[in-house]
Amino acid sequence: MALPLLFAFLFSEASARTVPDQALVVNWNSFNALETVQPPSVTNVFLPPGFTEEQALAKPFHIYDDDFYDVIGPNPTLTVVASTGVDPIFHEAAVWYPPANEVFFVQNAGAKAAGTGLNKSNIIQKISLNQVAALSAERNASGLVDVITVNANPPIVNSNGATNYRGEIVFTSEGQGNSTAPGLWVMNPQEPYNTTVLVNNYFGRQFNSPNDVAVNPRNGDVYFTDSLYAYLQDFRPPPGLPTQVYRFNPSTGAVTAVADGFELPNGITFSPDGSYAYVTDTGAQLAFYGYNLSAPASIYRYTVEVDGTWSNRKLFSYTSPGIPDGVHCDTKGNVYSAVGDGVQVWNPSGTLLGKIFLGSVAANFRFAGKGRMVILAQTQLYYATLAAEGADPVNEF
Ligand SMILES: *[C@@H]1O[C@H](CO)[C@@H](O)[C@H](O)[C@H]1NC(C)=O
Ligand SMILES: *[C@@H]1O[C@H](CO)[C@@H](O)[C@H](O)[C@H]1NC(C)=O
Ligand SMILES: *[C@@H]1O[C@H](CO)[C@@H](O)[C@H](O)[C@H]1NC(C)=O
Ligand SMILES: *[C@@H]1O[C@H](CO)[C@@H](O)[C@H](O)[C@H]1NC(C)=O
Ligand SMILES: *[C@@H]1O[C@H](CO)[C@@H](O)[C@H](O)[C@H]1NC(C)=O
């Protein structure tokens, strides 16, 4: 008697999930066999059959797998926090600074609409999450939030990625021209925003264009990708080193290369316990030089050995549309990446669970405490509430 009842109860629980107000369900079988399939092109969005773009934007949490209900919870929300029109000031390096409940981020360095790169550095800005969180019932709160410029001193030239580091924030700097060497800089997240160079060379050689940085939660080491985007945006000379991932040991100062074989390494993060590393390769996106659709738009996973070296490179996900830029995990080990239509979420086996669909490119994003996420979509800044919690270490190191 008891067993069948229990099964019936579990079964009805699983199948009777209510689709949240801001969510829609996509049946994968609905697009496996399409009437027409378009020839190769650089497309920006994939609309599931039966949905217009307006409908897909009105319900931006797209459920591709039942496990996405646990990621988004019963009442996820998405809010436009700020819009600029053309200047891509909401680009990368989103970092939550808990003591002030603020989120920092940087402008796209080198983008034509930003007017930055060879002659002018990009800027760092911040928002107050207290101010933003109070607006989560709005769909578009643009104009209601203060976006504050942070005058790093000395300036971090053409900053790109960033993460929490020993109570402060470590940024990658892509450098400028031949003489301003790129590297890693640390900034005090409070006035006077004083900065210090952490690393700016590999045995006296300039890095190419450090893109993103993550701290491994197990060993506390700082790992960063060195890509070529400053060169591909015409503000740095041709590469003097292969595109690689480096590891900086804060106790000894040692810098070592841990992975190569990339076209354009980009985002980097670790699983919650630090035992896996994820690196995105955005070789398909050549900035001022267009696209190469047969090059990677892929997330690779590595095992992080106990000694901090990497092994077992494997393809975790080939992403579509666009390229996977920023990448972060939640505390359950699910992997999130900013791609051509918003933020996509995979389980640890690389199955797409769902999307936070923006209908346009997201460059990066960051969890900012449990159930809160800030998404950088170049000319638009978004705030999402959901059930998941980010895995990036905030205070430990
Ligand atoms: C940088 O400044 C030089 C000299 O003023 C100018 O010729 C050049 O066009 C500028 N480059 C960019 C990318 O703005
Ligand atoms: C939000 O409103 C602003 C100001 O009216 C507008 O410029 C922006 O495009 C809107 N954003 C969205 C995603 O609708
Ligand atoms: C760097 O220096 C080389 C050699 O002097 C020069 O050809 C090149 O234009 C310079 N590049 C930049 C981005 O300043
Ligand atoms: C900023 O200055 C304070 C006070 O001198 C110092 O403790 C801190 O390490 C500095 N931070 C950076 C990143 O330079
Ligand atoms: C595009 O990328 C592929 C894979 O990396 C490479 O083999 C090919 O040469 C590239 N094509 C062009 C036109 O650069």
Side-chain angles (χ1 to χ4, degrees):
M1 248 329 246
L3 262 182
L5 264 179
L6 179 64
F7 276 121
F9 173 72
L10 286 175
F11 181 76
S12 66
E13 266 250 309
S15 57
R17 296 184 105 156
T18 314
V19 180
D21 270 1
Q22 289 193 30
L24 58 80
V25 176
V26 179
N27 177 357
W28 209 301
N29 284 313
S30 72
F31 64 87
N32 278 331
L34 294 170
E35 256 168 53
T36 44
V37 183
Q38 300 304 317
S41 73
V42 182
T43 54
N44 281 327
V45 289
F46 167 72
L47 287 175
F51 296 100
T52 62
E53 183 165 15
E54 202 176 26
Q55 289 167 331
L57 290 168
K59 294 182 179 293
F61 295 87
H62 295 185
I63 301 165
Y64 280 74
D65 185 291
D66 276 354
D67 286 346
F68 201 50
Y69 286 102
D70 298 329
V71 170
I72 60 179
N75 185 28
T77 63
L78 182 69
T79 304
V80 180
V81 166
S83 318
T84 63
V86 292
D87 187 356
I89 59 175
F90 311 116
H91 182 56
E92 293 210 46
V95 175
W96 180 47
Y97 179 58
N101 201 21
E102 291 173 336
V103 172
F104 291 73
F105 49 88
V106 307
Q107 187 183 27
N108 190 328
K112 286 183 173 134
T116 56
L118 188 53
N119 295 340
K120 188 174 134 212
S121 176
N122 70 338
I123 54 169
I124 302 172
Q125 295 189 289
K126 67 172 187 178
I127 50 168
S128 153
L129 217 59
N130 294 338
Q131 197 183 31
V132 169
L135 294 163
S136 68
E138 308 288 330
R139 290 304 299 267
N140 190 350
S142 182
L144 304 177
V145 173
D146 303 312
V147 180
I148 300 155
T149 300
V150 171
N151 291 310
N153 179 27
I156 301 173
V157 174
N158 291 319
S159 51
N160 196 72
T163 200
N164 302 82
Y165 176 71
R166 300 186 160 192
E168 301 188 307
I169 299 176
V170 60
F171 287 87
T172 62
S173 155
E174 295 186 290
Q176 198 169 41
N178 282 330
S179 51
T180 305
L184 297 180
W185 289 62
V186 183
M187 185 187 81
N188 175 1
Q190 292 178 307
E191 301 259 16
Y193 305 119
N194 50 308
T195 62
T196 302
V197 180
L198 196 60
V199 183
N200 70 359
N201 72 90
Y202 186 74
F203 297 100
R205 294 163 70 176
Q206 290 186 357
F207 293 109
N208 300 319
S209 186
N211 193 286
D212 211 346
V213 56
V215 174
N216 183 286
R218 198 168 56 189
N219 61 23
D221 286 359
V222 180
Y223 292 76
F224 61 100
T225 57
D226 189 23
S227 201
L228 293 180
Y229 280 103
Y231 168 62
L232 296 170
Q233 288 176 300
D234 292 349
F235 68 91
R236 284 274 299 147
L241 288 167
T243 54
Q244 307 190 109
V245 176
Y246 296 89
R247 168 192 185 190
F248 168 71
N249 178 329
S251 337
T252 64
V255 178
T256 48
V258 292
D260 65 2
F262 301 98
E263 301 215 0
L264 297 169
N266 199 320
I268 180 170
T269 200
F270 294 99
S271 60
D273 65 359
S275 61
Y276 291 126
Y278 294 92
V279 177
T280 69
D281 187 334
T282 52
Q285 224 280 27
L286 300 165
F288 290 1
Y289 302 89
Y291 290 86
N292 176 353
L293 295 179
S294 64
S298 308
I299 305 173
Y300 296 97
R301 192 184 84 183
Y302 297 79
T303 301
V304 181
E305 302 290 345
V306 171
D307 67 3
T309 57
W310 290 11
S311 60
N312 300 326
R313 169 186 162 111
K314 84 177 200 182
L315 179 64
F316 173 76
S317 177
Y318 174 74
T319 68
S320 185
I323 48 152
D325 198 330
V327 62
H328 301 280
C329 289
D330 69 19
T331 50
K332 307 263 171 65
N334 297 314
V335 180
Y336 299 56
S337 187
V339 299
D341 63 357
V343 175
Q344 297 188 4
V345 185
W346 299 265
N347 71 12
S349 306
T351 299
L352 181 72
L353 299 183
K355 303 180 176 184
I356 305 174
F357 180 83
L358 308 179
S360 62
V361 171
N364 214 329
F365 64 96
R366 193 72 168 227
F367 282 98
K370 186 168 166 42
R372 310 188 303 193
M373 181 189 281
V374 168
I375 304 171
L376 301 166
Q378 307 284 38
T379 58
Q380 309 247 38
L381 180 66
Y382 290 86
Y383 176 67
T385 65
L386 67 175
E389 179 173 7
D392 291 309
V394 173
N395 287 318
E396 291 96 304
F397 302 102

